[in-house]
Amino acid sequence: MTGKEYRTITDVKGPLVFLNKTEPVAFGEIVSLRLSNGTIKNGQVLDTSDDMVIVQVFEGTAKIDREAGVTFMGDVFKLPVSEDLIGRILDGAGKPRDGGPDIVAEQYDDIIGAAINPYSRRSPHDFIQTGISAIDCCTSLVRGQKLPIFSASGLPHNDIALQIARQAKLTGSDEEFIVVFCAMGITAEEYNFFRADLERTGALEKAVLFVNLADDPAVERIITPRLALTAAEYLAFEKDYHVLVIYTDMTNYCDALRQIGAAREEVPGRRGYPGYMYTDLAMLYERAGLVKGKKGSITQFPILTMPGDDITHPIPDLSGYITEGQIVISRELHQQGIYPPINVLPSLSRLMGSCIGEKTTREDHKSVSDQMYAAYAQGRELRGLVAIVGEDALNERDKQLLEFSGVFEDKFLRQSRDENRSIEETLDLCWTLMSRIDTKYLVRLDQKWIDKYHPDNRK
Amino acid sequence: MKNEGLIYRISGPVVTAIDMKAAMYDVVRVGTEGLMGEVIELHGDKAVIQVYEDTSGIRPGEIVVNTGETLSVSLGPGLLTQIYDGIQRPLPTLEKEMGVFLTRGVDADAFDLEKNWTFEPQVSVGDTVVGGQVVGHVQETDTIVHKIMVVPGMGGVVKSIESGDFNVTQTICTFEDGTDMQMMQKWPVRTPRPYLQKYPPVIPLITGMRILDFLFPLAKGGAAGIPGPFGSGKTVTQQSLAKYSDAQLVVYIGCGERGNEMTEVLDEFPHLIDPNTGKPLMERTVMIANTSNMPVAAREASVYTGITIAEYYRDMGYDVALMADSTSRWAEAMREISSRLEEMPGEEGYPAYLSTRIAEFYERAGRVETLNGEDGSITVIGAVSPPGGDISEPVSQGTLRIVKVFWGLDAGLARQRHFPAINWLNSYSLYPQSLDQWFRDNIAQDFPEIRVELSGLLQIESELQEIVQLVGSDALPADQQLTLEVARMIREYFLQQNGFHEVDAYCDIHLQYKMAKAILAFQESAKSAMASGAQLGDVVNVPSRSHLMRGRLNKGYIDTIDDMVKIMLTEIAATVEGN
Ligand SMILES: Nc1ncnc2c1ncn2[C@@H]1O[C@H](COP(=O)(O)OP(=O)(O)OP(=O)(O)O)[C@@H](O)[C@H]1O
Ligand SMILES: [Mg+2]
């Protein structure tokens, strides 16, 4: 349904267009704007009343003047979905970008997405092996989890995300993931890197890409992740796929949100970001998980770059309040030449407890993980002390822990970009490394696991 | 003007209606789908409405109907074990009506209106009853007797009273003046239910968490705030309290937090046993789940829905504990609505009335004499999620001004995996003075003195640590090194408590006392052994001490701990001879 075209624009401000005297326009309705040069832009209604309508224009307001024609499309934003999405590359507004035909829709889904009834969720508990020791051992990932990567500019978060996408699998199962990839304001170079890698491994054929690049309209970034998640929900909950959603970079998304807030002259919250950013982010991150009566699942890997490497910045802060843990990338480790430079200390997987142990990974996993973490934490702390008092002042235990912290980084964290360690290999590696410390200092290990897994007892 | 008007404007969850007769807090039905909303501002001929469901697709010109009611909850047997959204719609019913995704426009009764309950009258024909008085009993769950009370403000001389099986809408009592009553009543959520008087808080809420019960106790009828950055343990602490505290009833409000956390509670609680009654935990629990992605206006309402249900059970004479996770999300909902109203913002964009609302909410806690002349209480525990973990922000500050207990979660401790990550140096409770008599009478005469000793040792430790940072611990004299060891024992053996451990997650208060005494016994015997020439290293490393410490992870520790302490003391004494 296409209605009448109005030429009643009064104001244009930032990404917003204000117009008056229209038909009754629905809140959230999709709008088409026709410029005098024939260009078509799209937008959405943010505020509607008898006197005035405010439209947020996705492609930016450049070249819009009072003469532009505005048509209300009679419906809220919907994405055409079908299994044809798989293998396709779409732009940030959901139009084909790969030169292919339009998606033949099986149905049209509202991109805002309805909230999952908390009563209808199933608890996630299937361990995903990523093949990366730091993650598998210390911050185990669960199918249906939302686990962001907190990174910063210039760090290899993309390599890590891709390695996870390549290697992720359930242990003892050949169920595969399909990847929904969502780019928001990243550079063409970064995008090509992702694309080439997905292509190289054949994953592209089983992926759906939504791409908004740095030179694409900023406001469009508000809808790009919603399109991606709508596709993900369709594939997971209508078609039984296990979907891995990678979206990057959340920081660009939040900046777009800030732009709109500023244009509406809203009272800003911290650092100029809108007061409702928590709710807005939750409407994305909460679109993950498992639901009753459906086989599929959505696991989310949002990537965000922390401005100024500051974890208390509103973007990582509000994200951390919503997601189920975080994987923190460290500049210090990166500068030491360690890949993947994951700092396990501030990293956390809140669902880890539900997915590790005898039935899923191995009986000693929890014990090993606690001990590795504790020994590394203590070793790292000693580095500070040594800088003041010198290594000679350390007692035997502290010397061993200090040495261990180096080995932890060099042998446990460090692995190559295509090295895919099984959870068994990871845990065995832990034992080998921990055996450099006197057993009497390994107080977090259960004696029965020492008897069974310690290299001294295995020979 | 009439009870019907038209939509004039829609801006997110806020809708403006014109040409409609309206009063503040009237419940209205918005648009052709009849979405539920509440009048929150009057402006000339316009009524501003917050809508409890998503408003996209709604247009100006659609109809708005004023129901003339105020936002209320339904109260009666059937509340327990339920899980509601912020406006008391049962989530299982919504699942039946909508499927797994929450769409909109569905009404649902708060509980089964058809189900029959066995009503046992407690009054007779000719009795005069007043508002709040109990007229009969219903066994609601195995543990909870639901007392049917006259609606406050109503009452009269009983003309007839029923006995037997009735549903909640059938009349069970009539009065001489022609009025009658049913088992179900309604109460407006923004109006506190009345009581006769507030009592001072003199009984502790025993939580089974050592750091809370021992160092920073909360009173039944008191209020506590738990601020902490993300991932520091607010939810785990709140859930532990919901599981193990000795309240008779629990109202758990998931306010603007994660969906999976509510699922976890739903999965777990039916299988968990209340250590205080031996019955499934679910039977004493009412849950409200308005997660972060559900409509913000309903999130704003959720805390009122919860506290009103809590007050209703308080009025029956129960001790109710209410957890709100997280009050910051409630405050943010207020901020969001307020900014849509274009109100003049206060600090950080929050409305100027933020601290008033917070104070009013916590004021609904308390231990009271009910209208029926019984003792009842509501203890409120609110999580606070300060941005960046910095509690100088308005919600934390508004909370700390009113609550008497502050359990400060600490990112550093969480990072060290010291759980619960409650900072023992800056947390506080203002209740010990009023609770000490109870602890003396019910646990041990010297309970308060033991508490002071433990916190004193922790204080000294923090001072000694500063020196250690500079010179290393070996440079300290032996007695101070011992103090450090004792403090470490307090931290690792007593304060640390894994919220997921099958045995240690809950610690009986008598056992807590024994453990505290064990630490002091260690200190004393170590001191005297060292005075007689024993080496610190030998004293500290007696094997029986680590047995004692690890023993807390085993069942039946309360029966074995005394012997373990004895063995430890003997071994420590023997270190003197060894020299
Ligand atoms: N008492 C405890 N015992 C054991 N582990 C705990 C305890 N408290 C917290 N943790 C650990 O810390 C993690 C985070 O705790 P929790 O979810 O309670 O944080 P939170 O403060 O509610 O965070 P958010 O504000 O993001 O909701 C848990 O998943 C668990 O691993
Ligand atoms: Mg929480």
Side-chain angles (χ1 to χ4, degrees):
Chain A
M1 182 197 113
T2 317
K4 186 176 155 208
E5 189 174 90
Y6 291 87
R7 289 177 194 276
T8 55
I9 293 179
T10 57
D11 295 295
V12 182
K13 192 161 60 171
L16 304 182
V17 166
F18 299 69
L19 50 144
N20 55 25
K21 283 195 222 91
T22 56
E23 70 208 275
V25 171
F27 178 72
E29 189 167 343
I30 288 301
V31 180
S32 163
L33 295 100
R34 200 167 48 81
L35 276 51
S36 37
N37 64 6
T39 318
I40 301 286
K41 296 191 180 222
N42 298 298
Q44 187 177 16
V45 174
L46 283 191
D47 198 320
T48 170
S49 71
D50 287 350
D51 308 326
M52 187 188 60
V53 175
I54 304 177
V55 175
Q56 155 192 326
V57 182
F58 299 135
E59 293 90 345
T61 45
K63 294 275 174 226
I64 295 183
D65 57 17
R66 290 209 178 78
E67 308 309 313
V70 181
T71 310
F72 298 95
M73 309 302 282
D75 206 351
V76 296
F77 206 130
K78 292 192 169 162
L79 177 74
V81 291
S82 70
E83 276 178 281
D84 291 351
L85 280 167
I86 298 171
R88 296 298 304 271
I89 304 176
L90 307 171
D91 69 11
K95 300 273 178 293
R97 190 193 160 100
D98 52 7
D102 282 351
I103 302 296
V104 179
E106 182 182 318
Q107 61 193 57
Y108 290 85
D109 286 353
D110 182 350
I111 68 160
I112 301 298
I116 297 174
N117 184 335
Y119 179 76
S120 309
R121 284 179 180 270
R122 285 189 286 137
S123 290
H125 50 69
D126 293 324
F127 172 75
I128 297 178
Q129 177 180 299
T130 67
I132 296 174
S133 291
I135 298 176
D136 290 350
C137 172
C138 300
T139 52
S140 311
L141 172 66
V142 190
R143 191 158 70 178
Q145 187 170 14
K146 38 188 181 294
L147 192 62
I149 299 182
F150 283 11
S151 187
S153 45
L155 298 180
H157 40 265
N158 293 339
D159 300 68
I160 297 173
L162 277 168
Q163 191 170 358
I164 293 169
R166 276 196 309 273
Q167 299 182 169
K169 70 168 190 117
L170 289 196
T171 45
S173 147
D174 49 10
E175 282 179 311
E176 283 191 34
F177 288 96
I178 65 169
V179 173
V180 169
F181 175 78
C182 168
M184 294 168 285
I186 62 173
T187 62
E189 190 185 329
E190 277 178 289
Y191 164 62
N192 290 334
F193 175 74
F194 267 102
R195 217 190 101 147
D197 194 84
L198 292 172
E199 210 160 348
R200 177 173 68 83
T201 57
L204 196 58
E205 289 158 35
K206 288 176 294 170
V208 193
L209 275 59
F210 291 86
V211 183
N212 166 291
L213 296 184
D215 56 355
D216 288 331
V219 178
E220 191 181 86
R221 280 163 214 163
I222 301 294
I223 54 169
T224 314
R226 295 185 159 80
L227 298 170
L229 290 164
T230 303
E233 277 170 357
Y234 168 79
L235 293 170
F237 303 136
E238 304 276 330
K239 299 291 165 191
D240 294 345
Y241 288 98
H242 295 292
V243 183
L244 198 64
V245 182
I246 299 176
Y247 41 130
T248 181
D249 177 339
M250 284 310 288
T251 305
N252 296 332
Y253 171 85
C254 293
D255 286 345
L257 214 57
R258 180 163 66 174
Q259 254 183 45
I260 294 168
R264 294 190 72 182
E265 292 172 5
E266 290 166 350
V267 182
R270 266 204 323 151
R271 305 218 195 167
Y273 292 94
Y276 48 79
M277 195 157 89
Y278 172 84
T279 304
D280 190 280
L281 288 174
M283 309 259 301
L284 303 179
Y285 294 143
E286 278 287 317
R287 293 170 82 172
L290 296 89
V291 299
K292 284 187 206 160
K294 315 267 180 186
K295 274 204 210 126
S297 63
I298 298 179
T299 309
Q300 283 194 20
F301 262 110
I303 299 172
L304 59 88
T305 47
M306 299 184 280
D309 291 13
D310 177 10
I311 199 168
T312 69
H313 184 281
I315 297 170
D317 190 52
L318 293 178
S319 297
Y321 271 121
I322 305 163
T323 55
E324 287 148 346
Q326 66 279 338
I327 294 172
V328 181
I329 312 291
S330 145
R331 190 174 299 281
E332 192 192 323
L333 290 170
H334 178 63
Q335 280 164 351
Q336 287 172 41
I338 289 166
Y339 174 89
I342 296 173
N343 185 356
V344 300
L345 300 180
S347 299
L348 171 72
S349 163
R350 301 188 191 205
L351 303 184
M352 179 165 174
S354 67
C355 78
I356 62 168
E358 192 184 346
K359 292 200 193 79
T360 48
T361 55
R362 209 167 79 182
E363 53 193 1
D364 57 329
H365 190 154
K366 170 138 189 20
S367 203
V368 168
S369 157
D370 286 351
Q371 183 62 66
M372 289 288 285
Y373 184 96
Y376 179 60
Q378 289 167 8
R380 282 269 298 234
E381 214 174 286
L382 287 166
R383 284 184 196 169
L385 189 66
V386 167
I388 305 171
V389 299
E391 203 166 329
D392 292 341
L394 296 187
N395 60 29
E396 186 50 34
R397 171 176 173 272
D398 290 353
K399 276 187 192 138
Q400 290 185 12
L401 287 170
L402 181 68
E403 196 250 3
F404 175 80
S405 71
V407 175
F408 181 97
E409 291 167 1
D410 195 43
K411 297 274 190 312
F412 173 74
L413 289 186
R414 191 198 295 280
Q415 64 187 88
S416 69
R417 284 170 172 72
D418 51 13
E419 187 177 353
N420 190 353
R421 295 185 192 151
S422 73
I423 181 68
E424 293 279 329
E425 284 167 339
T426 290
L427 293 174
D428 287 347
L429 173 64
C430 293
W431 281 103
T432 310
L433 301 180
M434 287 190 299
S435 70
R436 292 164 172 251
I437 304 175
D438 229 319
T439 317
K440 67 170 181 279
Y441 303 135
L442 299 174
V443 290
R444 306 222 173 197
L445 288 176
D446 274 347
Q447 189 58 44
K448 54 183 176 209
W449 309 142
I450 295 180
D451 296 342
K452 189 163 170 187
Y453 294 104
H454 195 283
D456 289 353
N457 304 328
R458 275 183 137 184
K459 278 162 206 149
Chain B
M1 277 206 276
K2 19 184 214 347
N3 291 334
E4 258 174 47
L6 297 175
I7 296 180
Y8 165 75
R9 175 182 175 190
I10 304 142
S11 172
V14 173
V15 165
T16 310
I18 44 172
D19 296 336
M20 181 179 74
K21 188 164 170 260
M24 283 296 274
Y25 305 125
D26 279 352
V27 170
V28 295
R29 297 287 170 176
V30 176
T32 40
E33 290 179 69
L35 307 184
M36 187 168 155
E38 185 185 9
V39 175
I40 53 170
E41 193 177 282
L42 295 171
H43 216 64
D45 63 341
K46 299 194 179 89
V48 183
I49 298 158
Q50 63 175 353
V51 180
Y52 294 117
E53 295 185 84
D54 177 36
T55 53
S56 35
I58 313 281
R59 291 165 197 273
E62 287 186 31
I63 189 169
V64 182
V65 180
N66 189 341
T67 65
E69 290 169 13
T70 44
L71 185 67
S72 303
V73 286
S74 302
L75 301 165
L79 282 167
L80 291 174
T81 77
Q82 275 289 9
I83 175 162
Y84 293 116
D85 74 353
I87 48 172
Q88 215 201 6
R89 295 182 304 177
L91 292 174
T93 313
L94 296 187
E95 183 188 80
K96 247 181 251 147
E97 303 274 333
M98 309 171 172
V100 299
F101 288 99
L102 293 167
T103 53
R104 62 185 189 194
V106 172
D107 274 340
D109 295 322
F111 34 79
D112 193 344
L113 303 185
E114 304 298 321
K115 178 171 175 173
N116 277 335
W117 299 90
T118 306
F119 175 79
E120 295 167 25
Q122 303 290 317
V123 293
S124 321
V125 173
D127 288 356
T128 302
V129 295
V130 296
Q133 200 169 330
V134 173
V135 298
H137 289 173
V138 164
Q139 191 74 41
E140 187 176 4
T141 63
D142 277 355
T143 44
I144 300 296
V145 173
H146 193 112
K147 299 178 186 168
I148 307 296
M149 298 169 291
V150 180
V151 178
M154 308 282 286
V157 178
V158 176
K159 184 174 171 201
S160 71
I161 179 96
E162 301 288 349
S163 167
D165 292 355
F166 297 90
N167 71 33
V168 293
T169 59
Q170 288 172 319
T171 296
I172 37 105
C173 181
T174 61
F175 301 106
E176 292 292 354
D177 65 1
T179 57
D180 55 24
M181 67 174 282
Q182 296 75 32
M183 285 195 263
M184 181 173 80
Q185 57 177 274
K186 293 210 164 198
W187 192 263
V189 296
R190 298 186 197 277
T191 312
R193 285 174 64 92
Y195 49 84
L196 289 180
Q197 58 166 322
K198 265 199 184 175
Y199 290 129
V202 291
I203 304 166
L205 181 83
I206 301 296
T207 68
M209 284 171 78
R210 290 183 287 267
I211 187 166
L212 306 187
D213 291 343
F214 229 89
L215 297 187
F216 311 112
L218 173 58
K220 287 202 171 97
I226 322 183
F230 66 79
S232 57
K234 296 179 291 295
T235 304
V236 176
T237 305
Q238 297 254 36
Q239 290 188 356
S240 292
L241 293 171
K243 288 177 196 166
Y244 305 124
S245 70
D246 68 345
Q248 290 162 299
L249 258 126
V250 168
V251 178
Y252 193 96
I253 312 174
C255 174
E257 294 284 312
R258 300 174 185 82
N260 274 336
E261 288 173 349
M262 299 315 294
T263 316
E264 205 178 286
V265 175
L266 283 170
D267 282 353
E268 233 185 306
F269 274 38
H271 307 291
L272 286 177
I273 298 299
D274 177 354
N276 304 294
T277 61
K279 291 284 162 45
L281 275 176
M282 209 60 196
E283 305 215 332
R284 66 165 197 184
T285 309
V286 183
M287 268 192 284
I288 318 259
N290 211 94
T291 56
S292 53
N293 54 342
M294 286 161 73
V296 288
R299 189 200 296 170
E300 192 273 335
S302 66
V303 300
Y304 296 104
T305 299
I307 194 117
T308 309
I309 293 173
E311 284 175 342
Y312 176 65
Y313 282 99
R314 172 205 68 190
D315 292 345
M316 297 178 205
Y318 288 115
D319 291 318
V320 185
L322 176 140
M323 290 94 203
D325 185 13
S326 159
T327 60
S328 293
R329 307 304 167 213
W330 166 55
E332 283 165 7
M334 282 191 257
R335 174 167 71 184
E336 194 169 335
I337 306 284
S338 160
S339 97
R340 302 268 183 184
L341 298 179
E342 285 154 26
E343 288 176 340
M344 188 67 170
E347 234 182 310
E348 293 191 20
Y350 285 104
Y353 45 78
L354 173 75
S355 58
T356 317
R357 292 275 166 89
I358 292 176
E360 282 166 358
F361 168 66
Y362 282 105
E363 265 307 289
R364 291 173 78 167
R367 195 173 137 248
V368 306
E369 180 184 356
T370 68
L371 297 182
N372 196 43
E374 287 174 279
D375 244 20
S377 70
I378 299 179
T379 313
V380 174
I381 302 120
V384 186
S385 315
D390 176 0
I391 61 165
S392 65
E393 55 88 41
V395 184
S396 303
Q397 288 304 310
T399 306
L400 293 183
R401 270 202 297 278
I402 180 109
V403 301
K404 295 214 162 50
V405 174
F406 167 62
W407 294 325
L409 289 166
D410 186 306
L413 290 174
R415 198 165 286 191
Q416 290 164 33
R417 304 286 200 256
H418 173 108
F419 291 121
I422 295 168
N423 184 322
W424 53 89
L425 295 174
N426 69 10
S427 297
Y428 60 77
S429 162
L430 301 180
Y431 289 119
Q433 275 198 340
S434 38
L435 298 177
D436 275 353
Q437 198 54 48
W438 186 95
F439 282 116
R440 285 189 205 284
D441 295 346
N442 292 278
I443 311 299
Q445 263 310 316
D446 60 350
F447 189 99
E449 285 73 28
I450 305 282
R451 174 196 308 124
V452 171
E453 276 201 62
L454 293 192
S455 38
L457 281 161
L458 291 166
Q459 195 65 46
I460 297 174
E461 180 197 34
S462 83
E463 288 157 19
L464 289 179
Q465 285 296 357
E466 284 174 24
I467 306 175
V468 172
Q469 291 300 323
L470 295 176
V471 297
S473 64
D474 286 351
L476 293 182
D479 63 329
Q480 293 190 342
Q481 289 191 38
L482 175 64
T483 305
L484 286 180
E485 275 301 331
V486 175
R488 193 156 74 106
M489 188 166 175
I490 300 177
R491 284 188 283 112
E492 293 179 1
Y493 168 65
F494 194 78
L495 299 186
Q496 280 192 21
Q497 205 175 347
N498 183 337
F500 303 107
H501 194 277
E502 54 173 350
V503 175
D504 199 38
Y506 170 79
C507 187
D508 186 285
I509 180 77
H510 296 279
L511 177 57
Q512 295 182 24
Y513 173 76
K514 282 177 187 283
M515 288 171 68
K517 289 285 270 193
I519 296 170
L520 297 178
F522 164 73
Q523 182 187 31
E524 198 179 324
S525 67
K527 257 189 200 157
S528 70
M530 283 161 66
S532 313
Q535 295 296 310
L536 175 71
D538 296 338
V539 170
V540 170
N541 287 325
V542 293
S544 52
R545 189 167 76 112
S546 58
H547 281 149
L548 170 76
M549 287 173 67
R550 254 184 283 127
R552 75 185 202 280
L553 302 178
N554 298 328
K555 282 201 181 110
Y557 188 47
I558 194 162
D559 303 319
T560 55
I561 180 170
D562 291 343
D563 287 339
M564 290 174 134
V565 172
K566 268 190 215 132
I567 299 173
M568 175 182 73
L569 298 185
T570 320
E571 280 188 13
I572 290 173
T575 58
V576 179
E577 287 144 36
N579 265 283

Short mmCIF file of all heavy atoms in Angstrom, two decimals, chain B residues 96-113:
data_model
loop_
_atom_site.label_atom_id
_atom_site.label_comp_id
_atom_site.label_asym_id
_atom_site.label_seq_id
_atom_site.Cartn_x
_atom_site.Cartn_y
_atom_site.Cartn_z
N LYS B 96 0.62 -19.17 26.34
CA LYS B 96 -0.49 -19.90 25.72
C LYS B 96 -1.18 -19.06 24.65
O LYS B 96 -1.54 -19.55 23.59
CB LYS B 96 -1.50 -20.31 26.79
CG LYS B 96 -1.56 -21.82 27.01
CD LYS B 96 -2.59 -22.17 28.07
CE LYS B 96 -1.92 -22.65 29.35
NZ LYS B 96 -2.64 -22.30 30.56
N GLU B 97 -1.34 -17.79 24.94
CA GLU B 97 -2.07 -16.91 24.02
C GLU B 97 -1.23 -16.44 22.83
O GLU B 97 -1.74 -16.19 21.76
CB GLU B 97 -2.57 -15.67 24.77
CG GLU B 97 -3.44 -15.97 25.97
CD GLU B 97 -4.90 -16.13 25.58
OE1 GLU B 97 -5.30 -15.54 24.56
OE2 GLU B 97 -5.62 -16.85 26.29
N MET B 98 0.08 -16.23 23.06
CA MET B 98 0.89 -15.56 22.05
C MET B 98 2.01 -16.42 21.48
O MET B 98 2.67 -16.02 20.53
CB MET B 98 1.58 -14.33 22.66
CG MET B 98 0.73 -13.36 23.40
SD MET B 98 1.82 -12.16 24.22
CE MET B 98 0.67 -10.98 24.83
N GLY B 99 2.31 -17.55 22.09
CA GLY B 99 3.52 -18.27 21.69
C GLY B 99 4.72 -17.73 22.45
O GLY B 99 4.56 -16.99 23.42
N VAL B 100 5.91 -18.10 21.98
CA VAL B 100 7.10 -17.78 22.78
C VAL B 100 7.49 -16.31 22.72
O VAL B 100 8.26 -15.83 23.55
CB VAL B 100 8.31 -18.64 22.39
CG1 VAL B 100 8.02 -20.10 22.62
CG2 VAL B 100 8.74 -18.41 20.96
N PHE B 101 7.02 -15.59 21.72
CA PHE B 101 7.34 -14.16 21.66
C PHE B 101 6.18 -13.35 22.22
O PHE B 101 5.01 -13.67 21.97
CB PHE B 101 7.61 -13.72 20.22
CG PHE B 101 8.92 -14.24 19.70
CD1 PHE B 101 8.98 -15.36 18.89
CD2 PHE B 101 10.10 -13.60 20.04
CE1 PHE B 101 10.20 -15.84 18.43
CE2 PHE B 101 11.33 -14.06 19.59
CZ PHE B 101 11.37 -15.19 18.77
N LEU B 102 6.52 -12.31 22.97
CA LEU B 102 5.48 -11.48 23.57
C LEU B 102 4.99 -10.48 22.54
O LEU B 102 5.70 -9.54 22.20
CB LEU B 102 6.03 -10.74 24.79
CG LEU B 102 6.40 -11.63 25.98
CD1 LEU B 102 7.23 -10.85 26.99
CD2 LEU B 102 5.15 -12.19 26.63
N THR B 103 3.81 -10.70 22.01
CA THR B 103 3.22 -9.69 21.15
C THR B 103 2.36 -8.82 22.05
O THR B 103 2.70 -8.63 23.19
CB THR B 103 2.42 -10.36 20.01
OG1 THR B 103 1.52 -11.28 20.59
CG2 THR B 103 3.37 -11.08 19.07
N ARG B 104 1.25 -8.32 21.57
CA ARG B 104 0.57 -7.39 22.48
C ARG B 104 -0.94 -7.51 22.39
O ARG B 104 -1.48 -8.26 21.60
CB ARG B 104 1.00 -5.97 22.16
CG ARG B 104 0.61 -5.59 20.75
CD ARG B 104 1.15 -4.23 20.40
NE ARG B 104 0.59 -3.82 19.13
CZ ARG B 104 1.04 -2.82 18.41
NH1 ARG B 104 2.07 -2.13 18.83
NH2 ARG B 104 0.46 -2.51 17.28
N GLY B 105 -1.58 -6.75 23.28
CA GLY B 105 -3.02 -6.67 23.22
C GLY B 105 -3.74 -7.84 23.88
O GLY B 105 -4.92 -8.06 23.63
N VAL B 106 -3.04 -8.62 24.70
CA VAL B 106 -3.70 -9.75 25.36
C VAL B 106 -3.89 -9.44 26.84
O VAL B 106 -2.96 -9.02 27.52
CB VAL B 106 -2.87 -11.04 25.21
CG1 VAL B 106 -3.46 -12.16 26.05
CG2 VAL B 106 -2.80 -11.45 23.74
N ASP B 107 -5.10 -9.62 27.33
CA ASP B 107 -5.37 -9.48 28.75
C ASP B 107 -5.31 -10.86 29.38
O ASP B 107 -5.64 -11.84 28.74
CB ASP B 107 -6.77 -8.93 28.97
CG ASP B 107 -6.75 -7.42 28.93
OD1 ASP B 107 -5.67 -6.85 29.12
OD2 ASP B 107 -7.82 -6.83 28.68
N ALA B 108 -4.91 -10.91 30.61
CA ALA B 108 -4.88 -12.21 31.28
C ALA B 108 -5.20 -12.03 32.75
O ALA B 108 -4.70 -11.09 33.38
CB ALA B 108 -3.51 -12.85 31.09
N ASP B 109 -6.02 -12.91 33.30
CA ASP B 109 -6.31 -12.85 34.72
C ASP B 109 -5.06 -13.18 35.51
O ASP B 109 -4.26 -14.03 35.10
CB ASP B 109 -7.40 -13.87 35.07
CG ASP B 109 -8.73 -13.52 34.40
OD1 ASP B 109 -9.03 -12.32 34.32
OD2 ASP B 109 -9.42 -14.46 33.95
N ALA B 110 -4.90 -12.55 36.66
CA ALA B 110 -3.70 -12.75 37.45
C ALA B 110 -3.60 -14.18 37.97
O ALA B 110 -2.51 -14.69 38.19
CB ALA B 110 -3.67 -11.77 38.61
N PHE B 111 -4.74 -14.80 38.20
CA PHE B 111 -4.70 -16.22 38.58
C PHE B 111 -6.02 -16.85 38.20
O PHE B 111 -6.96 -16.17 37.76
CB PHE B 111 -4.39 -16.43 40.06
CG PHE B 111 -4.95 -15.37 40.97
CD1 PHE B 111 -6.29 -15.38 41.35
CD2 PHE B 111 -4.13 -14.35 41.44
CE1 PHE B 111 -6.79 -14.40 42.19
CE2 PHE B 111 -4.63 -13.36 42.27
CZ PHE B 111 -5.97 -13.38 42.64
N ASP B 112 -6.07 -18.15 38.36
CA ASP B 112 -7.22 -18.92 37.93
C ASP B 112 -8.48 -18.49 38.69
O ASP B 112 -8.56 -18.66 39.90
CB ASP B 112 -6.91 -20.40 38.18
CG ASP B 112 -7.92 -21.30 37.49
OD1 ASP B 112 -8.98 -20.79 37.09
OD2 ASP B 112 -7.61 -22.50 37.37
N LEU B 113 -9.43 -17.93 37.97
CA LEU B 113 -10.64 -17.46 38.64
C LEU B 113 -11.64 -18.60 38.88
O LEU B 113 -12.58 -18.47 39.65
CB LEU B 113 -11.33 -16.37 37.81
CG LEU B 113 -10.48 -15.13 37.48
CD1 LEU B 113 -11.33 -14.08 36.76
CD2 LEU B 113 -9.87 -14.52 38.75
#
